[in-house]
Amino acid sequence: MKSNKKDIRALTKEQLRDFFVAQGDKAFRGNQVYEWLWGKGAHSFEGMTNLSKQTRDQLEANFVINHIKVDQMQRSSDGTIKNAVRLHDGLIVESVLIPTAKRTTACVSSQVGCSLDCKFCATSRLKRMRNLNADEIYDQVIAIDNESRLYHNHPLSNIVFMGMGEPLMNYKNVIKSIDMITSEEGLGMSPKRITVSTSGVPKIIKKMADDEVKFHLAVSLHSAIDEVRTQIMPFNETFPLKDLKEALEYWYQKTERRITYEYVVWDGINDAKKDIDALVRFCSYVPCKVNLIEYNPIDDGEFQQASSQAIDNYINALERKKIVVNVRRSRGKDIDAACGQLANKS
Ligand code: SAH
């Protein structure tokens, strides 16, 4: 039988306080429960030991605590860990821990599947089933933080929203999860260590600027020519580059924070001089840096990583214009944990 009880972690602290007031109790009780849920990561009402039996029963009667469960953990030869995470309704998402010499980064999912249709991304083959709730995103981070402490002897240092899904199409819950990650009751992490990556939803980029968010923004660009971008990211048809440009200019005006462009160079798709010129021009609009990402093949060979000569041509052209460019090698390929490979294979 499906229960009508509410997911208690969908409530804000104020709503929890209101609940107790409505029950004739003190608002303060809400703070106590909130601390149990987020600060202490309680998995049951039973374990909330500073509450009376009556209060615990009252919670039990009205709410559930939905926790994720790491169903399967795979470790790559390079130290990367991929978690298959089971949600309360049985659906699965994946998240990844990426260790480097200086940091450990959690790559988390924001949706089950994805509604975008990027031709080079394995996740696009999964239909979008639903958005993740804030607590489901937060729990992925906690699971990876625990693994980081266990296997690398230090806490998680950075978070990227580059797992499954398009974070800006689940904006409300993504923001709520970041609020918890950065708040003292949660992980107390600095927002400067968090990056949200998007294919570029102009309206939401502007909203983020208005909301004065403090995390970093990365845009999966892959081409600065509309015809090419639409071919590989059909979503570009609805949100063409001129709208993206305008939104990014607005973002920079308000936040003064530079944008990262993620860019894969493919053989015969975006490796010509016209492609390079277009990117250099796009980079002149707002202060930015470019991450050239290694392509992670997902199957049929329609897309092939471009030659190292083509990559060098990009680097030279960007550096000539004093644009910062990094080449990002991929990690965790042997366990299908690299960018664009998350597809619930197992
Ligand atoms: N929807 C968001 C976040 C998920 S994708 C976004 O588009 O940014 C995370 C990053 O992986 C994006 O930059 C995406 O373009 C890139 N990516 C997707 N498939 C890839 C692949 N097969 N190889 C390399 N990078 C890929």
Side-chain angles (χ1 to χ4, degrees), residues 116 153 176 254:
L116 304 185
N153 298 314
K176 226 174 169 184
K254 291 243 162 169

Side-chain angles (χ1 to χ4, degrees), residues 83-258:
N83 293 330
V85 167
R86 185 177 292 275
L87 310 171
H88 69 91
D89 54 3
L91 293 172
I92 307 261
V93 292
E94 294 178 331
S95 31
V96 185
L97 176 159
I98 308 150
T100 61
K102 287 204 201 114
R103 49 173 99 167
T104 36
T105 302
C107 174
V108 297
S109 294
S110 55
Q111 299 182 310
V112 186
C114 190
S115 55
L116 304 185
D117 187 22
C118 302
K119 299 300 179 199
F120 47 81
C121 179
T123 307
S124 73
R125 315 259 157 103
L126 305 172
K127 185 165 120 246
R128 190 198 77 96
M129 306 290 286
R130 68 169 172 89
N131 285 337
L132 293 188
N133 297 326
D135 50 86
E136 292 170 324
I137 299 171
Y138 182 78
D139 285 354
Q140 293 176 61
V141 173
I142 296 297
I144 290 183
D145 186 46
N146 290 336
E147 289 167 350
S148 178
R149 289 166 197 270
L150 183 63
Y151 296 107
H152 300 282
N153 298 314
H154 52 79
L156 183 64
S157 62
N158 295 72
I159 301 174
V160 293
F161 281 75
M162 295 188 190
M164 294 173 161
E166 169 48 52
L168 299 202
M169 293 188 167
N170 184 16
Y171 182 67
K172 205 177 89 228
N173 292 339
V174 164
I175 292 296
K176 226 174 169 184
S177 72
I178 294 177
D179 284 347
M180 284 315 308
I181 292 163
T182 53
S183 80
E184 280 312 315
E185 281 135 335
L187 282 183
M189 185 185 271
S190 161
K192 293 192 186 107
R193 296 178 170 278
I194 301 174
T195 300
V196 171
S197 175
T198 177
S199 288
V201 187
K203 201 173 81 191
I204 310 290
I205 292 175
K206 287 185 182 168
K207 176 158 174 46
M208 287 193 331
D210 287 337
D211 289 348
E212 297 181 13
V213 300
K214 298 284 182 278
F215 49 78
H216 292 287
L217 175 63
V219 175
S220 302
L221 194 59
H222 303 310
S223 174
I225 300 175
D226 270 314
E227 299 80 76
V228 178
R229 195 166 191 260
T230 299
Q231 189 195 330
I232 56 178
M233 302 172 77
F235 153 97
N236 186 72
E237 183 118 53
T238 321
F239 303 113
L241 288 163
K242 75 167 178 16
D243 295 354
L244 180 59
K245 165 181 184 268
E246 193 211 318
L248 295 175
E249 285 168 343
Y250 187 84
W251 162 274
Y252 190 77
Q253 263 170 28
K254 291 243 162 169
T255 67
E256 292 186 356
R257 248 166 306 133
R258 77 173 173 181

